[in-house]
Amino acid sequence: MTRTVLVLNSGSSSVKLQLVEPDSGASLAEGIVERIGEDSSSAGLTAGQTTVSRDQRVADHDEALRVAFELFEEAGARLEDLGLVAVGHRVVHGGPDLYRPTVVDDALIERLEELAPLAPLHNPPAILGIEVARKALPDIPHVAVFDTAFFHDLPPAAATYAIDHEIAARWNIRRYGFHGTSHQYVSEQAAAFLAVPPESLSQIVLHLGNGASASAIVGGRPVETSMGLTPMEGLVMGTRSGDIDPGVITYLWRTAGMSVEDIESMLNRRSGVRGLGGEVDFRVLRRQIESGSESGRAAAQLAYDVYIHRLRKYIGAYFAVLGTVDVITFTAGVGENDAAVRRDALSGLAAFGIELDEHLNESPARAARRISPDGSPTTVLVIPTNEELAIARACAQVLGS
Ligand code: ADP
C-alpha cells in the first residue's frame, strides 16, 4: 500500500489539513476548519472529486479535528485505510535548538512550551494541535517540522541584531527567519526546473502570501532572509507591518498609552496592506484601486505602492548581498498569481540583468514556469510552493524510509 502523511497546520482559529503521499507527491485530500470558537465556524474537505462541508459551531481544536476526521470519512477517505504512517505538524518557531524534523514526545512538548514566549501568536496553537492530534491518533508517530529550520545556519552577520550582545544571548534574540520550508522547497524546485544542481545557483526567493518574506540563497544555503526574531520583520504583508523603526513602538507605548498587547495586535493584525488600504486580499485591493471611491482608491494605491517599494528595496539589497543573481523566484498566493506585482517589483531593473517577458508574465498558467526572456542574465521564475509536501517528505525521512 502507498504511504500517506497527514500534515496539520494549526493556527489560533483554524486548522488546515492535507493528506499527502510523500513518495509520489500526490495530495489525496485537503481540508480546513475555520473560525474555531466563533459562532460562524465552517469546515470543508476535498478528496479527489468529492467535496464535503459543514457549517456548525466548532468550539475548540479538539472538536475541529473530530469534525475534520468525520469529513474524511464522509468523503470516502478513511484515514485507517490510507496507509497513514505519520502526522506532520508545522511549527512556526523552533527557537535556537530545534531545527531538525523531530518525532514528538512529552519532552518536545515541554520544550515547545518553553519556547512559546518567542512566538506567542503561533506556537501555542501549534502545541494545541499536536496534543489534540496525538490523542486522536496515538499509535502513529507525530513529527514537528519547524518553519525556522532552513535558516538555522544563517551566517552570523545576517542572523545577529546589533544590540547589547549579553541581552541578546540571555533572551535568545537573533534573526531566525520563517517560511523556511517554503524557501527551501521552492529553491530546490527552481534548480530542478533549470535542470542544474542547487549548489550552482545564487537565488532570491520571494514568498508573497498573506505573510511575505524574501531570502537570498547561495549554493542551496540561505545567506539572508527578511523575517527576524518573529515573522513581523521585513516585507509589507497582508496584515503585518514588516520593518518598522522600534522607536514607533516605544513612542506608542509611552505617549499614546497603548499597551504591549495593543501594539502587538496592531502590528500583526491591522497593519500592512490592510492597515493602509483596508483590504488583505490583493484581488480586492486591485478592485479598490480600479473602481473604489476616491478615498478608497487613494488608500488602496498607497498600500500597493508601499508594498512594492519595500519589495524592490529588498530585491536591491539582496543583489548587493549576493553579487550576482542567477534566479529570482516568485511563490505563494500573491507571487504565483499576481502578474502586476511581479511586473512592478522588477520593472526598470534591466541594468541589474533583470527583465520580464510580458506575455509569459501575464500567462495564467499554474505550473512552475519561466517569465523572463530567453538569455536574460537573471532568470525569473514562478514556482508554486508546496509546504505540505515538503513537510510530508521531511516526516518520511525522519522515520527512516
Ligand atoms: P498564506 O500566507 O495564508 O498561506 P497564501 O500564500 O495562500 O497565504 O496567499 C493568500 C493571498 O494570496 C491572498 O490573500 C491574496 O492576496 C493572494 N491571492 C490569491 N489568489 C490571487 C490571485 N488570483 N490574484 C492575486 N492575488 C491572489
Side-chain angles (χ1 to χ4, degrees), residues 209-211 280-283 332-334 337-338:
N210 276 325
V280 174
D281 191 310
F282 269 68
R283 290 162 288 194
V334 179
N337 296 299
D338 197 321

Side-chain angles (χ1 to χ4, degrees), residues 242-325:
D243 291 338
I244 189 167
D245 178 349
V248 173
I249 295 162
T250 46
Y251 176 75
L252 287 173
W253 178 71
R254 192 180 298 117
T255 311
M258 287 173 75
S259 68
V260 168
E261 289 74 21
D262 292 341
I263 297 169
E264 187 170 63
S265 167
M266 181 198 75
L267 292 175
N268 270 295
R269 302 198 170 95
R270 301 194 311 284
S271 296
V273 173
R274 171 183 279 162
L276 292 173
E279 301 294 344
V280 174
D281 191 310
F282 269 68
R283 290 162 288 194
V284 186
L285 192 76
R286 176 83 45 211
R287 282 203 291 279
Q288 280 285 344
I289 292 173
E290 283 163 5
S291 54
S293 65
E294 198 178 322
S295 62
R297 237 185 357 244
Q301 184 68 54
L302 180 63
Y304 184 76
D305 292 346
V306 174
Y307 180 92
I308 294 290
H309 178 77
R310 183 83 52 85
L311 190 53
R312 289 173 66 88
K313 253 172 56 169
Y314 268 87
I315 293 166
Y318 286 9
F319 253 87
V321 168
L322 291 170
T324 57
V325 179

Side-chain angles (χ1 to χ4, degrees), residues 8-17 31-38 42 58 60-61 64 125-126 129:
L8 286 187
N9 184 351
S10 304
S12 57
S13 65
S14 73
V15 176
K16 291 186 197 157
L17 310 90
I32 184 165
V33 184
E34 290 178 282
R35 297 185 295 281
I36 298 169
E38 294 177 29
S42 73
V58 176
D60 52 26
H61 284 66

Side-chain angles (χ1 to χ4, degrees), residues 93 116 120 196 237 249-250 259 264 287 336 338 362 372-373 382:
H93 214 309
V196 297
M237 312 185 205
I249 295 162
T250 46
S259 68
E264 187 170 63
R287 282 203 291 279
E336 290 167 32
D338 197 321
E362 299 285 339
S372 51
V382 178

Side-chain angles (χ1 to χ4, degrees), residues 322-385:
L322 291 170
T324 57
V325 179
D326 302 310
V327 198
I328 298 177
T329 305
F330 287 89
T331 193
V334 179
E336 290 167 32
N337 296 299
D338 197 321
V341 165
R342 297 192 296 259
R343 181 198 63 217
D344 294 339
L346 300 184
S347 66
L349 297 181
F352 285 72
I354 302 177
E355 285 168 76
L356 282 192
D357 177 313
E358 209 174 303
H359 180 68
L360 295 175
N361 184 43
E362 299 285 339
S363 150
R366 305 206 61 80
R369 59 200 184 274
R370 180 174 54 81
I371 57 172
S372 51
D374 261 345
S376 76
T378 299
T379 303
V380 185
L381 302 176
V382 178
I383 294 191
T385 192

